[in-house]
Amino acid sequence: MKSKILRGTALDGQIRIFIADTTSLVEKAKDIHQSSPVATAALGRVLTATSILGVMLKGDRHKITTRIHGQGPIGTMIATSNASGNVKGYVTNPQVMVESSTPGKLNVGGAVGKSGEITVIKDLGLKNPYIGNYPLVSGEIGEDFAAYFMYSEQQPSAVGLGVTIDKDYTIKSAGGFIIQILPETDDNVAFILEERIKEAGSVSKLIENSKDGKEIMYQLLEGLHPKVLEEYEIDYICDCNRERFEKALISLGTQELRSLIEDDHGAELQCHFCNKKYQFSEENLEALIEEAINTDN
Ligand SMILES: [Zn+2]
């Protein structure tokens, strides 16, 4: 089944809700990165949240990148999404293992760490991207994104993210939700929502046990007049190409390119997001030196 995000609203626009089923998308990420269960769970949560942040963008060419660095053994986690919600990401140490104090529950916070930052980079097609850095709350990702909304936009938000991995290491379910209410909304509504979220329990169970996002929305927002606005099909997509790596090589400068020819007789670059390898022969590098000289002039 394709991964999807549902965008909805309730109480005449006072509540906005995003529900993502990213089961197949996280499976693809796991296959690409050959990641351990805890790394898959951590990256899956970040990919899900980043994809939702992507569909929140207004412009077709806008992009969002989130980086989480919590000083834990997983290293740094990066994910990038565009306005269609297509997302890609990676972690420094995809094979990380950490002990868990709760049997059957992956210790995402332990792998990510919590003494660090969440960085959100919004590229809205302007001269400079908008960059915000905020302290991590727990390294469990959901709370960290909720804090980001509070710090950056003064927007109270409930963020639930979850990934459940089966005994055979396939993804049983993955996804999440983001629910936001307008500041002038009655306090009672926030209270009702909090109770509903608590009742619903784990996000991954909710996704596993529901037919689709719509069913989850009606469960969480029952009695608050929920309405579906749009549904997006999303995927893990890497848009890397040879040209981008050529540019990266050119930016190294002629001296560095010469030493790649003399010392290594070529270069091999690998995309962090999809692990695709790009080979550059001595002749290719010579041509890039030419280009570097020409762009300098
Ligand atoms: Zn790639």
Side-chain angles (χ1 to χ4, degrees):
M1 211 168 78
K2 290 235 162 73
S3 290
K4 270 181 191 166
I5 290 177
L6 173 145
R7 184 165 71 90
T9 181
L11 281 184
D12 285 329
Q14 291 186 67
I15 300 174
R16 59 175 192 159
I17 184 167
F18 296 85
I19 297 167
D21 179 342
T22 53
T23 309
S24 58
L25 186 159
V26 174
E27 183 80 54
K28 199 164 162 186
K30 184 202 74 178
D31 287 345
I32 288 171
H33 296 292
Q34 295 291 306
S35 43
S36 68
V38 73
T40 303
L43 180 61
R45 291 183 192 184
V46 176
L47 290 169
T48 302
T50 306
S51 177
I52 296 176
L53 284 167
V55 304
M56 284 178 172
L57 295 167
K58 305 256 159 27
D60 282 350
R61 297 170 70 94
H62 295 176
K63 270 187 189 160
I64 195 150
T65 299
T66 59
R67 186 177 67 208
I68 291 179
H69 183 74
Q71 316 236 16
I74 204 167
T76 302
M77 301 199 284
I78 290 181
T80 298
S81 173
N82 58 18
S84 60
N86 289 326
V87 71
K88 59 181 180 176
Y90 67 89
V91 305
T92 318
N93 299 310
Q95 270 83 45
V96 68
M97 302 273 207
V98 284
E99 276 181 33
S100 173
S101 51
T102 321
K105 204 176 173 296
L106 294 163
N107 185 2
V108 171
V112 174
K114 58 178 172 184
S115 41
E117 286 181 328
I118 174 169
T119 305
V120 177
I121 304 163
K122 269 188 201 171
D123 181 355
L124 305 179
L126 305 168
K127 203 165 148 220
N128 294 310
Y130 161 83
I131 303 173
N133 279 308
Y134 310 95
L136 288 178
V137 177
S138 65
E140 293 281 344
I141 316 298
E143 289 169 313
D144 303 302
F145 274 97
Y148 153 72
F149 283 115
M150 203 61 205
Y151 293 130
S152 76
E153 297 167 22
Q154 289 73 52
Q155 170 64 68
S157 311
V159 182
L161 300 166
V163 176
T164 302
I165 295 166
D166 228 330
K167 285 192 187 73
D168 63 359
Y169 291 132
T170 56
I171 310 298
K172 207 168 186 183
S173 69
F177 62 76
I178 296 179
I179 305 174
Q180 301 184 319
I181 53 174
L182 290 182
E184 59 267 29
T185 306
D186 195 284
D187 284 348
N188 253 335
V189 174
F191 178 76
I192 293 169
L193 281 175
E194 244 172 73
E195 289 300 306
R196 289 278 171 76
I197 292 166
K198 243 186 265 169
E199 272 166 35
S202 108
V203 188
S204 37
K205 278 262 150 50
L206 196 60
I207 287 160
E208 196 185 317
N209 298 330
S210 308
K211 194 169 88 246
D212 53 22
K214 206 168 154 184
E215 191 182 312
I216 297 171
M217 184 180 79
Y218 282 111
Q219 182 182 340
L220 291 173
L221 303 181
E222 200 200 322
L224 301 170
H225 311 291
K227 213 166 80 186
V228 177
L229 294 179
E230 208 165 347
E231 251 188 302
Y232 307 79
E233 268 188 14
I234 54 166
D235 202 355
Y236 187 105
I237 293 176
C238 187
D239 53 355
C240 69
N241 54 49
R242 191 172 173 87
E243 207 187 328
R244 208 175 289 179
F245 285 90
E246 283 176 353
K247 280 200 184 121
L249 282 167
I250 291 169
S251 72
L252 293 175
T254 50
Q255 218 175 343
E256 192 68 29
L257 287 168
R258 283 231 164 79
S259 74
L260 281 175
I261 294 172
E262 277 153 30
D263 304 340
D264 305 334
H265 307 288
E268 183 184 89
L269 300 184
Q270 190 170 17
C271 173
H272 288 306
F273 293 103
C274 69
N275 289 332
K276 188 172 170 189
K277 287 176 180 162
Y278 292 87
Q279 318 279 350
F280 293 88
S281 66
E282 290 189 41
E283 291 75 32
N284 295 150
L285 293 174
E286 291 284 1
L288 294 180
I289 288 176
E290 284 294 309
E291 236 179 281
I293 293 168
N294 289 335
T295 41
D296 271 351
N297 292 334

